[in-house]
Coordinates of all heavy atoms in Angstrom, one line a residue:
R18 N 29.7 -7.1 26.3 CA 29.1 -8.1 27.1 C 28.2 -8.9 26.1 O 28.1 -10.2 26.2 CB 28.3 -7.5 28.2 CG 27.6 -8.4 29.0 CD 27.0 -7.7 30.2 NE 26.1 -8.5 31.0 CZ 25.5 -8.2 32.0 NH1 25.6 -6.9 32.4 NH2 24.7 -9.0 32.6
W19 N 27.4 -8.3 25.2 CA 26.5 -9.0 24.3 C 27.4 -9.9 23.3 O 26.9 -10.9 22.8 CB 25.7 -8.1 23.5 CG 24.6 -7.4 24.3 CD1 24.6 -6.2 24.8 CD2 23.4 -8.1 24.7 NE1 23.4 -6.0 25.6 CE2 22.6 -7.1 25.5 CE3 22.8 -9.3 24.6 CZ2 21.4 -7.4 26.1 CZ3 21.6 -9.6 25.1 CH2 20.9 -8.6 25.9
A20 N 28.5 -9.4 22.9 CA 29.3 -10.1 22.0 C 29.9 -11.4 22.6 O 30.1 -12.4 21.9 CB 30.5 -9.3 21.6
L21 N 30.0 -11.5 23.9 CA 30.4 -12.8 24.5 C 29.3 -13.8 24.5 O 29.5 -15.0 24.4 CB 30.8 -12.5 26.0 CG 32.0 -11.6 26.2 CD1 32.3 -11.4 27.6 CD2 33.2 -12.3 25.5
C22 N 28.0 -13.4 24.5 CA 26.9 -14.3 24.5 C 26.7 -14.8 23.1 O 26.0 -15.9 22.9 CB 25.6 -13.7 25.0 SG 25.7 -13.3 26.7
G23 N 27.1 -14.1 22.1 CA 26.9 -14.5 20.7 C 25.6 -14.0 20.1 O 25.2 -14.4 19.0
T24 N 24.9 -13.1 20.8 CA 23.7 -12.5 20.2 C 23.9 -11.0 20.0 O 24.7 -10.4 20.6 CB 22.5 -12.7 21.2 OG1 22.8 -12.0 22.5 CG2 22.2 -14.1 21.5
T25 N 23.1 -10.5 19.1 CA 23.2 -9.0 18.9 C 21.8 -8.5 19.2 O 20.8 -9.2 19.5 CB 23.5 -8.8 17.4 OG1 22.5 -9.3 16.6 CG2 24.8 -9.3 17.0
S26 N 21.7 -7.2 19.1 CA 20.4 -6.5 19.5 C 19.4 -6.8 18.4 O 18.2 -6.5 18.7 CB 20.6 -5.0 19.6 OG 21.1 -4.5 18.4
T27 N 19.7 -7.3 17.2 CA 18.7 -7.5 16.2 C 18.2 -9.0 16.2 O 17.2 -9.3 15.5 CB 19.2 -7.3 14.8 OG1 20.4 -8.0 14.6 CG2 19.6 -5.8 14.7
D28 N 18.7 -9.8 17.0 CA 18.2 -11.2 17.1 C 16.9 -11.3 17.8 O 16.6 -10.5 18.7 CB 19.3 -12.1 17.9 CG 20.5 -12.4 17.1 OD1 20.5 -12.2 15.8 OD2 21.5 -12.8 17.7
S29 N 16.1 -12.2 17.5 CA 14.8 -12.4 18.2 C 14.9 -12.8 19.6 O 14.0 -12.6 20.4 CB 13.9 -13.3 17.4 OG 14.5 -14.6 17.3
A30 N 16.0 -13.4 20.0 CA 16.3 -13.8 21.3 C 16.5 -12.6 22.2 O 16.2 -12.7 23.4 CB 17.4 -14.8 21.4
A31 N 17.0 -11.6 21.7 CA 17.2 -10.4 22.5 C 16.0 -9.6 22.7 O 15.8 -8.9 23.7 CB 18.2 -9.5 21.8
R32 N 14.9 -9.8 21.9 CA 13.6 -9.2 22.0 C 12.6 -10.2 22.1 O 12.1 -10.7 21.1 CB 13.4 -8.2 20.9 CG 14.4 -7.1 20.8 CD 14.0 -6.1 19.7 NE 13.7 -6.7 18.5 CZ 13.3 -6.1 17.4 NH1 13.1 -4.8 17.5 NH2 13.1 -6.7 16.2
P33 N 12.2 -10.6 23.3 CA 11.2 -11.7 23.4 C 9.8 -11.3 22.9 O 9.0 -12.2 22.5 CB 11.1 -12.0 24.9 CG 11.7 -10.8 25.5 CD 12.7 -10.1 24.6
D34 N 9.5 -10.0 22.8 CA 8.2 -9.6 22.3 C 8.1 -9.4 20.8 O 7.1 -9.0 20.2 CB 7.8 -8.3 23.0 CG 8.7 -7.1 22.6 OD1 9.9 -7.4 22.2 OD2 8.3 -6.0 22.7
S35 N 9.1 -9.8 20.0 CA 9.1 -9.6 18.6 C 8.1 -10.5 17.9 O 7.6 -10.2 16.8 CB 10.5 -9.8 18.0 OG 10.9 -11.2 18.2
A36 N 7.8 -11.7 18.5 CA 6.9 -12.6 17.8 C 5.4 -12.0 17.9 O 4.6 -12.3 17.1 CB 6.9 -14.0 18.5
A37 N 5.2 -11.2 18.9 CA 3.8 -10.7 19.1 C 3.6 -9.4 18.3 O 2.5 -8.9 18.3 CB 3.6 -10.4 20.6
M38 N 4.6 -8.9 17.6 CA 4.5 -7.6 17.0 C 3.7 -7.7 15.7 O 3.2 -6.7 15.2 CB 5.8 -7.0 16.7 CG 6.5 -6.5 18.0 SD 8.1 -5.8 17.8 CE 7.6 -4.3 16.9
G39 N 3.6 -8.8 15.1 CA 2.8 -8.9 13.9 C 3.7 -8.9 12.6 O 4.9 -8.8 12.7
G40 N 3.0 -9.0 11.5 CA 3.7 -9.2 10.2 C 3.9 -7.9 9.4 O 4.5 -7.9 8.4
G41 N 3.3 -6.8 9.8 CA 3.6 -5.6 9.1 C 2.4 -4.8 8.6 O 1.5 -4.5 9.4
N42 N 2.3 -4.6 7.3 CA 1.4 -3.7 6.8 C 0.2 -4.3 6.0 O -0.3 -3.7 5.0 CB 2.1 -2.7 5.8 CG 3.1 -1.9 6.6 OD1 2.9 -1.5 7.7 ND2 4.2 -1.6 5.9
A43 N -0.3 -5.4 6.4 CA -1.3 -6.2 5.6 C -2.6 -5.3 5.6 O -3.3 -5.2 4.6 CB -1.6 -7.5 6.2
Q44 N -3.0 -4.7 6.7 CA -4.2 -4.0 6.8 C -4.1 -2.7 5.9 O -5.0 -2.3 5.2 CB -4.6 -3.6 8.2 CG -5.9 -3.0 8.3 CD -6.3 -2.8 9.8 OE1 -5.5 -3.0 10.7 NE2 -7.5 -2.3 10.0
K45 N -2.9 -2.1 6.0 CA -2.7 -0.8 5.2 C -2.7 -1.2 3.8 O -3.3 -0.4 2.9 CB -1.3 -0.3 5.6 CG -1.3 1.2 5.6 CD 0.1 1.7 5.7 CE 0.7 1.8 7.0 NZ 2.0 2.5 7.1
T46 N -2.2 -2.3 3.4 CA -2.1 -2.7 2.0 C -3.6 -3.0 1.5 O -3.9 -2.6 0.4 CB -1.3 -3.9 1.8 OG1 0.1 -3.6 2.2 CG2 -1.1 -4.3 0.3
A47 N -4.3 -3.7 2.3 CA -5.7 -4.0 1.9 C -6.5 -2.7 1.7 O -7.4 -2.6 0.8 CB -6.3 -4.9 2.9
M48 N -6.4 -1.8 2.6 CA -7.1 -0.5 2.5 C -6.7 0.3 1.3 O -7.5 0.8 0.6 CB -6.9 0.4 3.8 CG -7.6 -0.1 5.0 SD -9.4 -0.1 4.8 CE -9.6 1.7 4.7
S49 N -5.4 0.3 1.0 CA -4.9 0.9 -0.2 C -5.5 0.3 -1.5 O -5.9 1.0 -2.4 CB -3.4 0.9 -0.3 OG -2.9 1.5 -1.4
R50 N -5.5 -1.0 -1.5 CA -6.1 -1.7 -2.7 C -7.6 -1.4 -2.8 O -8.1 -1.2 -3.9 CB -6.0 -3.3 -2.5 CG -4.6 -3.8 -2.9 CD -4.6 -5.3 -3.1 NE -3.3 -5.7 -3.2 CZ -2.7 -6.5 -2.3 NH1 -3.4 -7.0 -1.3 NH2 -1.4 -6.9 -2.5
A51 N -8.3 -1.3 -1.7 CA -9.8 -1.0 -1.8 C -10.0 0.4 -2.3 O -10.9 0.7 -3.1 CB -10.4 -1.2 -0.4
K52 N -9.2 1.3 -1.8 CA -9.3 2.7 -2.3 C -9.0 2.8 -3.7 O -9.7 3.5 -4.5 CB -8.4 3.6 -1.5 CG -8.8 4.0 -0.1 CD -7.8 4.9 0.6 CE -8.2 5.2 2.0 NZ -7.2 6.1 2.7
N53 N -7.9 2.2 -4.2 CA -7.6 2.2 -5.6 C -8.6 1.6 -6.5 O -8.9 2.1 -7.6 CB -6.2 1.5 -5.8 CG -5.0 2.4 -5.2 OD1 -5.2 3.6 -5.0 ND2 -3.9 1.7 -5.0
A54 N -9.2 0.5 -6.0 CA -10.3 -0.1 -6.8 C -11.5 0.8 -6.9 O -12.1 0.9 -8.0 CB -10.7 -1.5 -6.1
A55 N -11.8 1.5 -5.8 CA -13.0 2.4 -5.9 C -12.7 3.6 -6.8 O -13.6 4.0 -7.5 CB -13.3 2.9 -4.5
K56 N -11.4 4.0 -6.7 CA -11.1 5.2 -7.6 C -11.1 4.7 -9.1 O -11.6 5.5 -9.9 CB -9.7 5.6 -7.2 CG -9.2 6.8 -8.0 CD -7.8 7.3 -7.5 CE -7.3 8.4 -8.3 NZ -6.0 8.8 -7.8
A57 N -10.6 3.6 -9.4 CA -10.6 3.0 -10.8 C -12.1 2.8 -11.3 O -12.4 3.1 -12.4 CB -9.9 1.7 -10.9
K58 N -12.9 2.4 -10.4 CA -14.4 2.2 -10.7 C -15.0 3.5 -11.1 O -15.8 3.6 -12.0 CB -15.1 1.5 -9.6 CG -16.5 1.1 -9.9 CD -17.2 0.4 -8.8 CE -18.6 0.2 -9.0 NZ -19.3 -0.4 -7.9
A59 N -14.7 4.5 -10.3 CA -15.3 5.8 -10.5 C -14.8 6.4 -11.8 O -15.6 7.1 -12.6 CB -15.0 6.8 -9.4
E60 N -13.5 6.2 -12.1 CA -13.0 6.8 -13.3 C -13.5 6.0 -14.6 O -13.7 6.6 -15.7 CB -11.5 6.8 -13.3 CG -10.9 7.8 -12.4 CD -9.4 7.7 -12.2 OE1 -8.8 6.8 -12.9 OE2 -8.8 8.5 -11.5
A61 N -13.8 4.8 -14.4 CA -14.3 4.0 -15.5 C -15.7 4.3 -15.9 O -16.1 4.1 -17.0 CB -14.2 2.5 -15.2
A62 N -16.4 4.9 -15.0 CA -17.9 5.2 -15.2 C -18.0 6.6 -15.9 O -19.1 7.0 -16.1 CB -18.6 5.3 -13.9
G63 N -16.9 7.2 -16.4 CA -17.1 8.4 -17.1 C -16.2 9.5 -16.3 O -15.4 10.2 -16.9
G64 N -16.5 9.6 -15.0 CA -15.7 10.6 -14.3 C -16.0 12.0 -14.6 O -16.8 12.3 -15.5
G65 N -15.2 12.9 -14.0 CA -15.3 14.3 -14.3 C -14.2 14.8 -15.1 O -13.2 14.0 -15.4
G66 N -14.2 16.0 -15.5 CA -13.1 16.6 -16.2 C -13.0 16.2 -17.6 O -14.0 15.7 -18.2
A67 N -11.9 16.4 -18.2 CA -11.7 16.1 -19.7 C -11.7 14.7 -20.0 O -12.1 14.2 -21.0 CB -10.4 16.8 -20.2
G68 N -11.3 13.8 -19.0 CA -11.3 12.4 -19.2 C -12.6 11.8 -19.5 O -12.8 10.8 -20.2
G69 N -13.7 12.3 -18.8 CA -15.0 11.7 -18.9 C -15.9 12.5 -19.9 O -17.1 12.1 -20.0
K70 N -15.4 13.4 -20.6 CA -16.2 14.2 -21.5 C -16.9 13.4 -22.5 O -18.1 13.5 -22.8 CB -15.4 15.3 -22.1 CG -16.2 16.3 -22.9 CD -15.5 17.5 -23.4 CE -16.3 18.4 -24.1 NZ -15.6 19.6 -24.6
Q71 N -16.1 12.5 -23.1 CA -16.7 11.6 -24.2 C -17.9 10.8 -23.7 O -18.9 10.7 -24.3 CB -15.6 10.8 -24.8 CG -16.1 9.7 -25.8 CD -15.6 9.9 -27.1 OE1 -14.6 10.6 -27.3 NE2 -16.2 9.3 -28.1
A72 N -17.7 10.2 -22.5 CA -18.7 9.4 -22.0 C -20.0 10.2 -21.6 O -21.1 9.7 -21.7 CB -18.2 8.6 -20.7
R73 N -19.8 11.4 -21.2 CA -20.9 12.3 -20.8 C -21.7 12.8 -22.0 O -22.9 13.0 -21.9 CB -20.5 13.4 -19.9 CG -20.0 13.0 -18.5 CD -19.9 14.2 -17.6 NE -19.0 15.3 -18.2 CZ -17.7 15.3 -18.1 NH1 -17.1 14.4 -17.3 NH2 -17.0 16.3 -18.6
T74 N -21.0 13.1 -23.1 CA -21.7 13.7 -24.2 C -22.1 12.7 -25.3 O -22.7 13.1 -26.3 CB -20.8 14.8 -24.9 OG1 -19.6 14.1 -25.3 CG2 -20.5 15.9 -23.9
A75 N -21.7 11.4 -25.1 CA -22.0 10.4 -26.2 C -23.5 10.1 -26.4 O -23.9 9.8 -27.4 CB -21.2 9.2 -25.9
A76 N -24.3 10.3 -25.4 CA -25.7 9.9 -25.4 C -26.6 11.0 -25.5 O -27.7 11.1 -24.9 CB -26.0 9.0 -24.3
M77 N -26.3 12.1 -26.3 CA -27.2 13.3 -26.4 C -28.2 13.0 -27.5 O -28.1 13.5 -28.6 CB -26.3 14.5 -26.7 CG -25.3 14.8 -25.7 SD -26.0 15.3 -24.1 CE -26.1 17.1 -24.3
D78 N -29.2 12.1 -27.2 CA -30.1 11.7 -28.2 C -31.4 12.5 -28.3 O -32.1 12.4 -29.3 CB -30.5 10.2 -27.9 CG -29.3 9.2 -28.1 OD1 -28.4 9.6 -28.8 OD2 -29.4 8.1 -27.5
L79 N -31.7 13.2 -27.3 CA -33.0 14.0 -27.3 C -32.6 15.4 -27.8 O -31.9 16.1 -27.1 CB -33.6 14.1 -25.9 CG -34.1 12.8 -25.3 CD1 -34.6 13.0 -23.9 CD2 -35.1 12.2 -26.2
K80 N -33.1 15.8 -28.9 CA -32.9 17.1 -29.5 C -34.2 17.8 -29.8 O -35.1 17.3 -30.5 CB -32.1 16.9 -30.8 CG -31.6 18.2 -31.4 CD -30.7 17.9 -32.6 CE -30.0 19.2 -33.1 NZ -29.1 18.8 -34.2
C81 N -34.3 19.0 -29.2 CA -35.6 19.8 -29.4 C -35.6 20.2 -30.9 O -34.7 20.9 -31.4 CB -35.5 21.0 -28.5 SG -37.0 22.0 -28.6
S82 N -36.7 19.9 -31.5 CA -36.9 20.3 -32.9 C -37.2 21.8 -33.1 O -37.1 22.2 -34.2 CB -38.0 19.4 -33.5 OG -39.2 19.7 -32.9
V83 N -37.5 22.5 -32.0 CA -37.8 23.9 -32.2 C -36.5 24.7 -32.1 O -36.2 25.5 -32.9 CB -38.9 24.3 -31.1 CG1 -39.1 25.8 -31.2 CG2 -40.1 23.6 -31.3
C84 N -35.7 24.5 -31.0 CA -34.5 25.3 -30.7 C -33.2 24.5 -30.9 O -32.1 25.1 -30.7 CB -34.6 26.0 -29.4 SG -34.5 24.8 -28.0
M85 N -33.3 23.2 -31.1 CA -32.2 22.4 -31.4 C -31.3 22.2 -30.2 O -30.1 21.8 -30.3 CB -31.3 22.9 -32.5 CG -32.0 23.0 -33.8 SD -32.7 21.4 -34.3 CE -33.8 21.8 -35.7
Q86 N -31.8 22.4 -28.9 CA -31.0 22.1 -27.7 C -31.1 20.6 -27.5 O -32.1 19.9 -27.6 CB -31.6 22.8 -26.5 CG -30.8 22.6 -25.3 CD -31.3 23.4 -24.1 OE1 -32.2 24.3 -24.3 NE2 -30.7 23.2 -23.0
C87 N -29.9 20.0 -27.1 CA -29.8 18.6 -26.9 C -29.8 18.2 -25.4 O -29.4 19.0 -24.6 CB -28.5 18.1 -27.5 SG -28.3 18.3 -29.3
F88 N -30.4 17.1 -25.2 CA -30.5 16.5 -23.8 C -30.0 15.0 -23.9 O -30.2 14.4 -24.8 CB -31.9 16.6 -23.3 CG -32.4 17.9 -23.1 CD1 -33.1 18.6 -24.1 CD2 -32.3 18.5 -21.8 CE1 -33.6 19.9 -23.9 CE2 -32.7 19.8 -21.6 CZ -33.4 20.5 -22.6
P89 N -29.4 14.6 -22.8 CA -29.0 13.2 -22.8 C -30.3 12.3 -22.7 O -31.3 12.7 -22.3 CB -28.2 13.0 -21.4 CG -27.8 14.4 -21.0 CD -28.8 15.3 -21.7
N90 N -30.2 11.1 -23.3 CA -31.4 10.3 -23.4 C -31.8 9.8 -22.0 O -32.9 9.2 -21.9 CB -31.1 9.0 -24.3 CG -30.0 8.2 -23.8 OD1 -29.3 8.5 -22.8 ND2 -29.7 7.1 -24.5
T91 N -31.1 10.0 -21.0 CA -31.5 9.6 -19.6 C -32.2 10.8 -18.9 O -32.8 10.6 -17.8 CB -30.2 9.3 -18.7 OG1 -29.4 10.5 -18.7 CG2 -29.5 8.1 -19.3
Q92 N -32.4 11.9 -19.5 CA -33.0 13.1 -18.9 C -34.3 13.5 -19.6 O -34.4 14.6 -20.1 CB -32.0 14.3 -18.8 CG -30.9 14.0 -17.9 CD -30.0 15.3 -17.7 OE1 -30.3 16.3 -18.2 NE2 -29.0 15.1 -17.0
V93 N -35.2 12.5 -19.7 CA -36.5 12.8 -20.3 C -37.3 13.9 -19.5 O -38.0 14.7 -20.1 CB -37.3 11.5 -20.5 CG1 -38.6 11.7 -21.1 CG2 -36.5 10.5 -21.3
K94 N -37.2 13.8 -18.2 CA -37.9 14.8 -17.4 C -37.4 16.2 -17.6 O -38.2 17.1 -17.7 CB -37.8 14.4 -15.9 CG -38.6 13.2 -15.5 CD -38.6 12.9 -14.0 CE -39.3 11.7 -13.7 NZ -39.3 11.4 -12.3
A95 N -36.1 16.4 -17.8 CA -35.5 17.7 -18.1 C -36.0 18.1 -19.5 O -36.3 19.3 -19.7 CB -34.0 17.6 -18.0
A96 N -36.1 17.2 -20.4 CA -36.6 17.6 -21.7 C -38.1 18.0 -21.6 O -38.5 18.9 -22.3 CB -36.5 16.4 -22.7
Q97 N -38.9 17.3 -20.8 CA -40.3 17.7 -20.6 C -40.4 19.1 -20.0 O -41.2 19.9 -20.4 CB -41.0 16.7 -19.8 CG -41.2 15.4 -20.5 CD -41.8 14.3 -19.5 OE1 -41.7 14.4 -18.3 NE2 -42.3 13.2 -20.1
A98 N -39.6 19.4 -19.0 CA -39.6 20.7 -18.4 C -39.1 21.7 -19.4 O -39.6 22.8 -19.4 CB -38.6 20.6 -17.2
H99 N -38.1 21.4 -20.2 CA -37.7 22.3 -21.3 C -38.9 22.7 -22.2 O -39.1 23.8 -22.5 CB -36.6 21.7 -22.1 CG -36.2 22.5 -23.3 ND1 -35.4 23.6 -23.3 CD2 -36.6 22.3 -24.6 CE1 -35.3 24.1 -24.6 NE2 -36.0 23.2 -25.4
A100 N -39.6 21.6 -22.6 CA -40.7 21.9 -23.6 C -41.8 22.7 -22.9 O -42.4 23.6 -23.6 CB -41.3 20.6 -24.0
E101 N -42.0 22.5 -21.7 CA -43.1 23.3 -21.0 C -42.7 24.7 -20.7 O -43.5 25.6 -20.9 CB -43.5 22.6 -19.6 CG -44.2 21.3 -19.8 CD -44.3 20.5 -18.5 OE1 -43.9 21.1 -17.4 OE2 -44.8 19.4 -18.5
S102 N -41.4 25.0 -20.4 CA -41.0 26.3 -20.0 C -40.6 27.1 -21.2 O -40.9 28.3 -21.2 CB -39.9 26.3 -18.9 OG -38.7 25.7 -19.5
K103 N -39.9 26.5 -22.1 CA -39.3 27.3 -23.3 C -40.3 27.4 -24.5 O -40.2 28.4 -25.2 CB -38.0 26.7 -23.7 CG -36.9 26.6 -22.7 CD -36.4 28.0 -22.3 CE -35.3 27.9 -21.3 NZ -34.8 29.2 -20.9
H104 N -41.1 26.4 -24.6 CA -42.0 26.4 -25.8 C -43.4 26.1 -25.3 O -43.9 25.0 -25.6 CB -41.5 25.3 -26.8 CG -40.1 25.4 -27.1 ND1 -39.5 26.5 -27.7 CD2 -39.0 24.5 -26.9 CE1 -38.2 26.3 -27.9 NE2 -37.9 25.1 -27.3
P105 N -44.1 27.0 -24.6 CA -45.4 26.7 -24.0 C -46.5 26.5 -25.1 O -47.5 25.8 -24.9 CB -45.7 27.9 -23.2 CG -44.8 29.0 -23.7 CD -43.6 28.3 -24.3
K106 N -46.3 27.0 -26.4 CA -47.3 26.8 -27.4 C -47.2 25.5 -28.1 O -48.1 25.0 -28.8 CB -47.1 27.9 -28.4 CG -47.4 29.3 -27.9 CD -47.3 30.4 -28.9 CE -47.6 31.7 -28.3 NZ -47.4 32.8 -29.3
S107 N -46.1 24.8 -27.9 CA -45.8 23.5 -28.5 C -45.9 22.4 -27.4 O -45.6 22.6 -26.3 CB -44.4 23.4 -29.1 OG -44.3 24.3 -30.1
D108 N -46.4 21.2 -27.8 CA -46.4 20.1 -26.8 C -45.1 19.3 -26.9 O -44.3 19.6 -27.7 CB -47.6 19.2 -27.0 CG -47.6 18.6 -28.4 OD1 -46.9 19.0 -29.3 OD2 -48.3 17.6 -28.6
F109 N -44.9 18.4 -25.9 CA -43.7 17.6 -25.8 C -43.5 16.8 -27.1 O -42.3 16.7 -27.5 CB -43.7 16.8 -24.6 CG -42.5 15.9 -24.3 CD1 -41.3 16.5 -23.9 CD2 -42.5 14.6 -24.6 CE1 -40.2 15.8 -23.8 CE2 -41.4 13.8 -24.4 CZ -40.2 14.4 -24.0
A110 N -44.5 16.2 -27.6 CA -44.3 15.4 -28.8 C -43.9 16.2 -30.0 O -43.1 15.7 -30.9 CB -45.6 14.7 -29.2
T111 N -44.2 17.5 -30.1 CA -43.7 18.3 -31.2 C -42.3 18.7 -31.0 O -41.5 18.6 -32.0 CB -44.6 19.6 -31.3 OG1 -46.0 19.2 -31.4 CG2 -44.2 20.4 -32.5
C112 N -41.9 19.0 -29.8 CA -40.5 19.4 -29.5 C -39.6 18.2 -29.6 O -38.5 18.3 -30.1 CB -40.4 20.0 -28.1 SG -41.2 21.6 -28.0
F113 N -40.0 17.0 -29.1 CA -39.1 15.8 -29.0 C -39.9 14.7 -29.7 O -40.4 13.8 -29.0 CB -38.7 15.5 -27.6 CG -37.9 16.6 -26.9 CD1 -38.6 17.6 -26.1 CD2 -36.6 16.7 -27.1 CE1 -37.8 18.6 -25.5 CE2 -35.8 17.7 -26.5 CZ -36.5 18.7 -25.7
P114 N -40.0 14.6 -31.0 CA -40.7 13.5 -31.6 C -40.0 12.1 -31.5 O -40.6 11.1 -31.6 CB -40.8 13.9 -33.1 CG -39.7 14.9 -33.3 CD -39.5 15.6 -31.9
M115 N -38.7 12.2 -31.2 CA -37.9 10.9 -31.0 C -38.1 10.3 -29.7 O -37.8 9.1 -29.5 CB -36.4 11.1 -31.3 CG -35.7 11.9 -30.2 SD -36.0 13.6 -30.1 CE -35.6 14.3 -31.6
A116 N -38.7 11.0 -28.7 CA -38.9 10.4 -27.3 C -40.2 9.6 -27.4 O -41.2 10.0 -27.9 CB -39.1 11.5 -26.3
S117 N -40.1 8.4 -26.8 CA -41.3 7.5 -26.8 C -41.9 7.5 -25.4 O -41.9 6.5 -24.7 CB -40.9 6.1 -27.2 OG -39.9 5.6 -26.3
T118 N -42.5 8.6 -25.0 CA -43.2 8.6 -23.7 C -44.6 9.0 -23.9 O -45.1 9.5 -24.8 CB -42.6 9.6 -22.7 OG1 -42.5 10.9 -23.3 CG2 -41.2 9.1 -22.3

């Protein structure tokens, strides 16, 4: 019967609601792009594991002159705590002369 009309089941005339169904996966694609961009940004900042090891260890600028333990230059408070707890007889300036605090 459909063959006599000249339409098939895949024609848009056979399904009048096909125009209202939308264009597909635009929202899914946008979410995927956003997730991938966030993941790339996190990995570029150093990240965890072996990939970010170089970025994490590159700035070990604070070195205790008493015991030679290294600290990142962003952790001055940790270096101060180290000097107070591990070397109570020495002050912070003696342990870390390169720190300018």
